[in-house]
Amino acid sequence: MNTTEERLSQNRASLGKEFWLKTFSFLSPLFLLFLWEALAALKLVDVRLFSSPSRIFKTLIPLVLSGELIYHTLISTMRIALGFLAGAIPGVALGLSMGLFPSVRALLMPLVAVTFPIPKLAIMPLILIVFGLGESSKIFTIAIGVFYLVLINTMAGVLNIDPIYIDVAKSFKASRIQFYTTVAFPGALPMIFAGLKLGMGTALLLIVAAELSAAKAGVGWMIWRAYDMFDIERMFCSLIVLAFLGFVFSYLLDFLEKIVIPWKKR
Amino acid sequence: MNGAEKIRVENLTKFFINGKTAVSALENVNLTVNDGEFLCVVGPSGCGKTTMLRILAGLEKPTSGRVHINAKAAGVPSTAVVFQGDSIFPWMRVVENVEYGLKLRGVPLKERRAVAMEHLKKMGLERFAYLYPYQLSGGMKQRVNVARAFACDPEILLMDEPFGALDEQNRLLLQQELLRIWEENCKTTVFITHSIDEALLLGDKILVMTAQPGKVKALLDVKIPRPRDIILIKSSPVFIELYKEIWDLLKEEVLKARNIK
């Protein structure tokens, strides 16, 4: 027999379990930092190569306070944001038209299929020659990486709409425009967002590479500069910023997705 | 029932080309449905029932023969379809789904919302009007599906096994609700089902189709008076007699269909 008392105590037990799991998740990174610090203090890891949490923290504070880190973060954020938009907007537009019109798909699919596998880093020298050393080359590098992922996902989103929804629209005599706005676009939105999220990951990857060459600021530049100066602490500070940027951007996209796709079961 | 001809199907034949072979789905189907009549179509699975409905809805073209729909009023759609399975748009709220047909026709928001709410009320769904489909149960989704077809006030309702995927209790409830709503205005309806029970409960006439390729095997009158009560009908002698008659017709075809495969 399960009395109310027993059930309540079971409930308490499972709540207690949840509490411990959350505590573990919180403690595990702290424990790693502690381990790292301890190994550095005991000289079991070489602090010239791997530094230590306290050293990194000591470098981080003045970097933040002087505004230097924030300056570089803002520059990189600007490039990522512009590149992301410059890639995502045409990616969605072209992906939708390729999904909707077989003629556009027939025309462009071979081009996309042939150029998509080229590593974006491999065309950076070409981009530098064409766009010069200014901002546009970095923005374009990011844009092209984002563009393909968004394009391919958007097109797949349109093509994979359940045929029954197309039948419903047809049976209600929807015009072409009505079909695009009430079925094709909303139906493709979940895949479009999947593309945007993948694109964001690629944008973070490309910003570091893009700032390697011919940049005078940015988080990626900081990393390469720290490499030249053999300044391991600065390098780690920049990595912390990149992790932070990735977290913020994916949080923003999740937030936007919740607003744009309230109908998705989560 | 005024008996004027509403749908006339003449020598309807449909082939599907599958690689090098042509699969015959319908062969020489002749049929008339009168205004205000509820026609149920039963037949073994794969006999082309759905294909016939899709042709009536204008979603497929016949290979030969023709379908004539005698539409009177301008500005009212001639047909609306209740599809089999989950066909309400997940990205629209319940009420937006119901008013979809009206929206496409350019009915202003306030007006179409009022009509949609009225139909939701009939289905007992007005509390759920602003929810998204993922928040509904299967039975509720199917009610929305039915309400969507009724709300656009078509001349002919086409239903393709709308309650096929529901559990027994929900199916009974929905059949009862459909009867109640339908008996209010007796819209010409073609209703596809594989359940003899359902066909007898709802229909004025029952069309029995042969195994593939689908042909008309028999057309029976269901002389059960309206308004009907689902529970009482099931024990009436007419029901039992017709049930046996239809099953005898169908049994032959089902066995034939099994031998083909």
Side-chain angles (χ1 to χ4, degrees):
Chain A
M1 270 304 274
N2 240 349
T3 64
T4 315
E5 193 53 40
E6 271 172 54
R7 254 180 262 156
L8 275 176
S9 79
Q10 271 170 9
N11 193 24
R12 255 192 307 259
S14 81
L15 278 178
K17 200 176 164 194
E18 209 168 292
F19 170 76
W20 280 114
L21 288 176
K22 282 215 173 108
T23 313
F24 282 151
S25 307
F26 181 73
L27 286 180
S28 71
L30 287 183
F31 174 72
L32 267 180
L33 284 178
F34 175 77
L35 190 70
W36 184 4
E37 186 69 45
L39 289 174
L42 295 170
K43 299 203 162 48
L44 289 170
V45 297
D46 189 344
V47 289
R48 284 169 307 172
L49 296 181
F50 296 102
S51 194
S52 72
S54 61
R55 277 156 213 265
I56 294 167
F57 194 68
K58 260 183 233 154
T59 314
L60 185 66
I61 297 295
L63 265 180
V64 173
L65 291 180
S66 69
E68 194 185 343
L69 195 64
I70 293 164
Y71 166 74
H72 290 292
T73 307
L74 282 178
I75 289 206
S76 289
T77 308
M78 201 64 191
R79 286 171 183 157
I80 292 174
L82 287 175
F84 186 76
L85 287 177
I89 293 170
V92 169
L94 219 62
L96 283 175
S97 36
M98 283 176 74
L100 289 170
F101 310 110
S103 52
V104 179
R105 193 159 64 244
L107 193 72
L108 296 180
M109 199 56 216
L111 284 173
V112 172
V114 166
T115 54
F116 174 55
I118 300 174
K120 305 304 166 273
L121 293 177
I123 52 171
M124 267 198 57
L126 182 64
I127 293 173
L128 283 174
I129 291 172
V130 175
F131 287 89
L133 302 176
E135 284 302 292
S136 48
S137 60
K138 282 142 209 110
I139 292 172
F140 188 80
T141 306
I142 294 168
I144 195 127
V146 173
F147 170 77
Y148 278 99
L149 291 170
V150 174
L151 169 93
I152 286 168
N153 275 280
T154 304
M155 180 179 72
V158 176
L159 291 176
N160 287 325
I161 290 173
D162 193 330
I164 198 160
Y165 300 132
I166 299 168
D167 278 347
V168 173
K170 265 195 208 163
S171 77
F172 279 110
K173 309 281 185 291
S175 68
R176 286 199 76 97
I177 306 275
Q178 285 172 331
F179 171 72
Y180 302 153
T181 55
T182 62
V183 178
F185 183 64
L189 270 178
M191 284 291 281
I192 293 177
F193 264 90
L196 291 177
K197 285 177 184 174
L198 285 171
M200 188 47 83
T202 306
L204 281 169
L205 186 112
L206 288 173
I207 187 73
V208 177
E211 286 174 349
L212 158 65
S213 49
K216 291 186 183 64
V219 183
W221 175 81
M222 275 184 81
I223 293 176
W224 292 109
R225 183 85 184 139
Y227 167 79
D228 288 340
M229 316 278 284
F230 202 69
D231 190 342
I232 298 296
E233 279 79 26
R234 268 175 94 97
M235 204 183 271
F236 273 104
C237 290
S238 316
L239 291 177
I240 291 170
V241 171
L242 279 179
F244 175 74
L245 279 183
F247 177 78
V248 169
F249 283 134
S250 78
Y251 182 83
L252 281 177
L253 275 177
D254 282 343
F255 180 73
L256 194 66
E257 190 185 22
K258 269 184 197 134
I259 291 172
V260 177
I261 319 180
W263 48 270
K264 207 169 122 185
K265 193 173 183 177
R266 271 169 252 270
Chain B
M1 250 168 262
N2 53 29
E5 201 174 271
K6 196 77 187 169
I7 307 173
R8 190 168 68 238
V9 176
E10 282 172 355
N11 301 321
L12 181 66
T13 297
K14 176 76 185 176
F15 292 124
F16 287 105
I17 308 296
N18 187 4
K20 278 178 187 167
T21 55
V23 181
S24 169
L26 293 168
E27 211 171 274
N28 257 322
V29 175
N30 284 291
L31 176 73
T32 58
V33 185
N34 290 336
D35 197 11
E37 213 165 49
F38 198 120
L39 175 79
C40 287
V41 181
V42 293
S45 41
C47 76
K49 305 179 293 256
T50 297
T51 305
M52 187 167 83
L53 192 100
R54 290 176 63 86
I55 292 173
L56 290 175
L59 293 171
E60 303 269 1
K61 295 238 174 307
T63 308
S64 70
R66 46 185 236 112
V67 170
H68 182 75
I69 287 174
N70 192 6
K72 294 175 301 210
V76 172
S78 49
T79 58
V81 187
V82 180
F83 289 93
Q84 192 175 5
D86 216 351
S87 77
I88 61 172
F89 298 127
W91 48 85
M92 291 181 194
R93 293 172 194 278
V94 166
V95 67
E96 290 167 335
N97 262 293
V98 175
E99 68 190 17
Y100 184 64
L102 299 169
K103 185 185 171 190
L104 294 189
R105 290 216 310 268
V107 177
L109 176 68
K110 232 178 131 181
E111 205 177 310
R112 66 175 192 250
R113 183 97 355 146
V115 174
M117 287 308 285
E118 192 188 308
H119 283 273
L120 282 174
K121 200 175 272 175
K122 277 186 196 169
M123 285 288 184
L125 287 174
E126 72 268 46
R127 283 188 299 135
F128 309 105
Y130 290 93
L131 294 187
Y132 283 103
Y134 80 87
Q135 295 163 302
L136 305 183
S137 68
M140 283 151 87
K141 281 188 209 172
Q142 226 32 15
R143 283 184 177 86
V144 176
N145 200 352
V146 172
R148 178 170 67 185
F150 270 97
C152 79
D153 194 29
E155 297 213 11
I156 296 165
L157 273 170
L158 303 170
M159 305 203 198
D160 186 6
E161 290 194 35
F163 311 141
L166 297 180
D167 61 85
E168 180 81 31
Q169 289 95 340
N170 254 311
R171 187 155 53 229
L172 264 176
L173 280 175
L174 270 151
Q175 285 166 347
Q176 215 147 25
E177 281 162 25
L178 178 64
L179 261 184
R180 185 169 48 77
I181 295 171
W182 185 82
E183 280 166 0
E184 278 174 23
N185 53 13
C186 297
K187 240 177 227 315
T188 313
T189 302
V190 177
F191 188 105
I192 286 175
T193 175
H194 58 256
S195 151
I196 305 175
D197 263 13
E198 194 167 64
L200 284 168
L201 294 172
L202 299 171
D204 294 312
K205 281 186 181 167
I206 295 176
L207 175 76
V208 183
M209 290 180 78
T210 65
Q212 187 204 8
K215 283 175 274 191
V216 175
K217 184 165 176 96
L219 186 64
L220 298 98
D221 276 318
V222 183
K223 293 206 173 76
I224 300 173
R226 292 180 191 274
R228 293 178 182 176
D229 182 304
I230 287 192
I231 305 305
L232 291 181
I233 292 175
K234 283 198 178 179
S235 51
S236 76
V238 194
F239 182 94
I240 294 160
E241 198 180 304
L242 273 169
Y243 190 101
K244 196 183 168 313
E245 193 180 340
I246 295 171
W247 173 237
D248 285 340
L249 289 166
L250 264 181
K251 195 164 64 184
E252 275 175 43
E253 297 305 321
V254 174
L255 290 174
K256 233 196 283 174
R258 215 167 51 174
N259 290 340
I260 293 170
K261 285 160 198 162

